[in-house]
């Protein structure tokens, strides 16, 4: 009897070993920073971490990305791929900290930075800007000179920017006029899919690429009517972002399994109000994202 039980236990362990890993067809998203240029302890600069098949992909690297990655328990050296939605400073101001600190923490390769036209230039100048640090650390502490740099790669039009091991990342154009080009990204792994809007006004091209997606992470901007009347510049700012009414209409067409707001840009208006306004157009699963919120995307969407 004892032996029979041993055989059963051993076979179960063997079968578990053969079974696909738990992360197959599963994407985990961590909202590292859900903020804007506005300095905030609650909302760091825009940055979203996507994990699929044990690999990390980072989308934008705003203020404090390094801190949030550390809070999320992600080893900095494992960040090798960064995709930029556009080159507004709030989306890239954490980049030098992340690239240098992950180098110090022995990132095994140069950092691969993909983004709109201008990304290569940004990478080259960041490498130059920290040449003194490169000298000190390679001479004094023996850090690997080959892995120091950021390798910039420009994309000027929509394209598949990563396709390996069943994971596909597609850059598509959004409308952040006059910032051109500006991209959103779609990540597919098996049946699981995620779309990140980047900064955009209401975008029909985003609708095309996001239709039926599991998780849509979308920017949001809103102001109360009094502030809007007093400050004409605010109107200009809102014109290249998406209001709750527009987002609600867009979600109703896209029908994501879940929609989450990030890049939360609010002027004299609270989160409850923007949720209420959105819900009058879209009654699906909707949340305002928070820094360090994790979202599991598989057969179901799990927030934790
Ligand atoms: Zn922004
Ligand atoms: Zn922007």
């Amino acid at each position: 009897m004892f032996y029979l039980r041993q055989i059963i236990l051993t076979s179960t362990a063997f079968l578990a070993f053969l079974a696909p890993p738990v992360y197959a067809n599963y994407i985990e998203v961590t909202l590292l920073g859900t903020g804007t240029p506005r300095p905030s302890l609650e909302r760091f600069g825009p940055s979203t971490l996507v994990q699929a098949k044990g690999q990390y992909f980072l989308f934008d690297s705003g203020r404090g990305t390094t801190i949030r990655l550390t809070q999320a328990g992600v080893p900095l050296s494992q960040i090798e791929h960064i995709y930029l939605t556009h080159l507004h400073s709030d989306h890239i101001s954490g980049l030098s900290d992340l690239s240098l600190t992950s180098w110090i923490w022995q990132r095994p390769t140069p950092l691969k930075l993909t983004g709109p036209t201008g990304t290569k230039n940004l990478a080259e100048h960041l490498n130059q800007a920290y040449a003194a640090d490169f000298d000190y650390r390679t001479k004094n502490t023996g850090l690997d000179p080959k892995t120091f740099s950021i390798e910039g790669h420009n994309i000027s039009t929509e394209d598949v920017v990563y396709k390996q091991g069943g994971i596909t990342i597609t850059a598509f154009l959004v409308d952040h006029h006059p910032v051109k080009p500006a991209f959103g990204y779609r990540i597919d792994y098996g049946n699981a899919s995620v779309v990140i809007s980047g900064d955009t006004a209401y975008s029909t091209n985003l609708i095309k690429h996001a239709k039926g997606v599991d998780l849509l992470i979308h920017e949001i901007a809103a102001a109360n009517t009094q502030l809007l009347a007093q400050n004409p510049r605010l109107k200009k700012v809102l014109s290249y972002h998406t209001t709750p009414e527009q987002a609600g209409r867009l979600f109703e067409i896209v029908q994501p399994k879940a929609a989450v707001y990030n890049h939360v840009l609010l002027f004299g208006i609270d989160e409850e109000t923007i949720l209420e306004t959105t819900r009058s157009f879209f009654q699906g699963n909707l949340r305002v994202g928070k820094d360090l919120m994790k979202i599991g995307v598989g057969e179901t969407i799990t927030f934790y």
Side-chain angles (χ1 to χ4, degrees):
M1 191 61 193
F2 172 76
Y3 289 110
L4 186 62
R5 214 172 70 203
Q6 279 303 102
I7 289 165
I8 291 169
L9 284 175
T10 313
S11 330
T12 313
F14 182 64
L15 285 175
F17 176 74
L18 284 183
V22 285
Y23 48 71
N25 296 337
Y26 177 82
I27 299 176
E28 187 176 270
V29 173
T30 308
L31 305 180
L32 295 172
T34 57
T36 63
R38 182 185 289 158
S40 159
L41 275 179
E42 285 74 40
R43 296 191 184 282
F44 279 17
S47 187
T48 304
L49 181 72
V50 170
Q51 193 183 0
K53 213 178 173 183
Q55 267 186 284
Y56 293 109
F57 304 92
L58 193 69
F59 295 85
D60 287 333
S61 181
R63 179 188 302 121
T65 302
T66 307
I67 305 283
R68 289 294 193 232
L69 281 168
T70 305
Q71 284 179 296
V74 178
L76 298 179
S77 61
Q78 289 194 23
I79 303 296
E80 290 179 26
H81 296 274
I82 304 183
Y83 298 91
L84 299 178
T85 58
H86 63 300
L87 302 180
H88 261 152
S89 59
D90 52 320
H91 296 253
I92 56 176
S93 60
L95 202 51
S96 51
D97 179 20
L98 178 57
S99 100
L100 294 161
T101 312
S102 60
W103 176 56
I104 296 169
W105 257 255
Q106 308 203 320
R107 189 183 63 232
T109 64
L111 196 61
K112 295 171 189 70
L113 183 71
T114 304
T117 314
T119 299
K120 198 167 185 293
N121 187 41
L122 171 72
E124 283 166 5
H125 284 87
L126 281 177
N127 292 336
Q128 266 178 44
Y130 290 94
D133 188 63
F134 172 84
D135 278 346
Y136 305 143
R137 293 189 197 275
T138 48
K139 281 180 194 141
N140 298 343
T141 52
L143 276 178
D144 187 351
K146 292 192 294 298
T147 60
F148 164 81
S149 63
I150 307 177
E151 288 176 355
H153 177 64
N154 286 346
I155 41 173
S156 54
T157 187
E158 35 195 43
D159 209 349
V160 170
V161 291
Y162 183 92
K163 197 174 175 65
Q164 227 171 290
I167 303 164
T168 307
I169 302 176
T170 310
F172 60 88
L173 289 163
V174 291
D175 178 10
H176 195 37
H177 179 84
V179 181
K180 282 186 180 175
F183 292 105
Y185 289 94
R186 180 180 170 116
I187 303 99
D188 287 282
Y189 175 44
N191 296 325
S193 55
V194 175
V195 162
I196 298 168
S197 74
D199 285 13
T200 182
Y202 182 96
S203 163
T204 48
N205 196 44
L206 181 143
I207 293 173
K208 193 178 116 192
H209 286 271
K211 203 92 193 249
V213 73
D214 291 331
L215 174 66
L216 174 56
I217 299 166
H218 203 288
E219 70 120 87
I220 189 67
N224 76 32
T225 40
Q226 207 183 348
L227 282 177
L228 260 181
Q230 284 166 0
N231 186 347
R233 201 178 141 252
L234 213 48
K235 214 172 175 179
K236 280 194 171 171
V237 170
L238 290 192
S239 75
Y240 67 1
H241 290 290
T242 305
T243 64
E245 293 84 354
Q246 292 169 332
R249 287 202 186 95
L250 185 139
F251 297 161
E252 185 54 21
I253 301 171
V254 169
Q255 287 294 321
K257 278 190 199 153
V260 177
Y261 281 139
N262 75 344
H263 202 276
V264 183
L265 186 59
L266 304 182
F267 301 90
I269 194 162
D270 61 23
E271 291 178 12
E272 211 36 59
T273 309
I274 61 165
L275 282 174
E276 261 174 46
T277 310
T278 315
R279 284 192 178 120
S280 57
F281 297 92
F282 171 69
Q283 285 82 47
N285 193 352
L286 168 71
R287 309 211 179 190
V288 178
K290 305 254 179 257
D291 284 21
L292 296 174
M293 178 188 266
K294 277 183 190 256
I295 310 153
V297 181
E299 278 183 27
T300 54
I301 308 279
T302 317
F303 290 86
Y304 53 100

